[in-house]
């Protein structure tokens, strides 16, 4: 029991037709379901924002989605309202096999701090509790899949590698937003952190 699959944010709002749709975001679900069957443990992450979250462009007068603003913890991309707690958009995609999940980590629920990573909020200080869960279960190897490769998958993978986990990202089971070259930058950051891209 040393290997876990971490499934990042396969939610309706990140799939075609959603508020922050990632192109072909739903095309990876069948492969993710198959991969989960082979894992010792499965963790699903779920973006879970309160209405009016500070990362929403609608919360900042004169700002538009995908503008960048400065927060106390650093630069923050402003997003369309998405994955609002309890909404249909925040729900997991109906084709995702949730029955394999040992744990669901909800992130982004602090109205003042966005949270891309499955391990830390964007202040890089506030933990989600995932590290402790994995350590107490003796899990050392992580395979990461999901949405979006250049934001939540990347931040999760880099943080996991910094924490000492053996991390692999399955590129075929991820899709990216690719905002102004963010995909290439994300792949460079993951490789620099020691993440295996496969």
């Amino acid at each position: 029991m040393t290997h876990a699959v971490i499934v990042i944010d396969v939610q309706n709002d990140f799939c075609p037709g959603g508020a922050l749709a990632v192109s072909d975001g739903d095309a990876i679900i069948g492969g993710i379901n198959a991969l989960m069957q082979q894992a010792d443990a499965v963790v699903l992450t779920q973006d879970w924002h309160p209405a009016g979250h500070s990362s929403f462009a609608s919360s900042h007068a004169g700002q538009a989605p995908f503008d960048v603003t400065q927060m106390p913890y650093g630069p923050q991309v402003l997003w369309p309202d998405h994955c609002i707690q309890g909404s249909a958009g925040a729900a997991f995609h109906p084709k995702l096999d949730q029955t394999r999940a040992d744990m669901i980590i909800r992130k982004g629920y602090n109205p003042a701090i966005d949270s891309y990573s499955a391990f830390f909020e964007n202040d890089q200080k506030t933990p989600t509790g995932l590290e402790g869960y994995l350590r107490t279960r003796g899990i050392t190897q992580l395979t990461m899949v999901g949405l979006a490769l250049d934001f939540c998958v990347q931040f999760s993978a880099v943080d996991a590698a910094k924490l000492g986990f053996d991390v692999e990202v399955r590129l075929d089971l991820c899709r990216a937003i690719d905002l102004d070259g963010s995909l290439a930058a994300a792949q460079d950051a993951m490789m620099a952190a020691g993440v295996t891209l496969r």
Side-chain angles (χ1 to χ4, degrees):
M1 294 282 290
T2 62
H3 175 246
V5 170
I6 314 292
V7 181
I8 308 289
D9 298 359
V10 180
Q11 295 167 258
N12 289 326
D13 269 346
F14 295 127
C15 291
L20 185 48
V22 180
S23 183
D24 289 331
D26 55 349
I28 61 177
I29 295 173
I32 290 174
N33 286 342
L35 181 65
M36 289 193 290
Q37 299 302 321
Q38 306 163 24
D40 295 329
V42 173
V43 175
L44 307 181
T45 74
Q46 189 174 23
D47 235 19
W48 196 248
H49 297 304
H53 193 271
S54 62
S55 69
F56 295 166
S58 62
S59 299
H60 301 266
Q63 299 283 340
F66 310 109
D67 287 349
V68 178
T69 192
Q70 283 295 319
M71 297 292 211
Y73 52 83
Q76 171 68 52
V77 176
L78 296 177
W79 303 108
D81 291 24
H82 67 281
C83 295
I84 293 171
Q85 295 170 356
S87 69
F92 291 113
H93 191 281
K95 291 184 179 175
L96 183 70
D97 180 8
Q98 298 175 49
T99 64
R100 286 289 295 120
D102 298 85
M103 185 182 200
I104 295 171
I105 288 277
R106 286 177 165 167
K107 57 191 182 63
Y109 51 78
N110 181 334
I113 308 175
D114 206 4
S115 188
Y116 297 155
S117 171
F119 291 90
F120 295 99
E121 293 182 354
N122 284 5
D123 62 1
Q124 287 293 298
K125 295 174 185 171
T126 308
T128 65
L130 178 56
E131 178 192 5
Y133 174 77
L134 296 172
R135 297 229 189 269
T136 56
R137 291 199 58 183
I139 291 166
T140 57
Q141 297 173 288
L142 306 177
T143 299
M144 297 200 174
V145 297
L147 305 168
L149 176 61
D150 43 343
F151 285 92
C152 294
V153 175
Q154 173 210 338
F155 277 71
S156 299
V158 168
D159 281 348
K162 287 179 180 175
L163 291 168
F165 292 97
D166 179 1
V167 187
E168 172 186 83
V169 170
R170 283 279 301 271
L171 298 177
D172 60 323
L173 298 178
C174 297
R175 293 293 184 270
I177 297 173
D178 204 10
L179 187 65
D180 299 326
S182 58
L183 175 57
Q187 290 178 313
D188 289 346
M190 288 187 285
M191 288 189 289
V195 175
T196 301
L197 303 182
R198 185 158 77 82

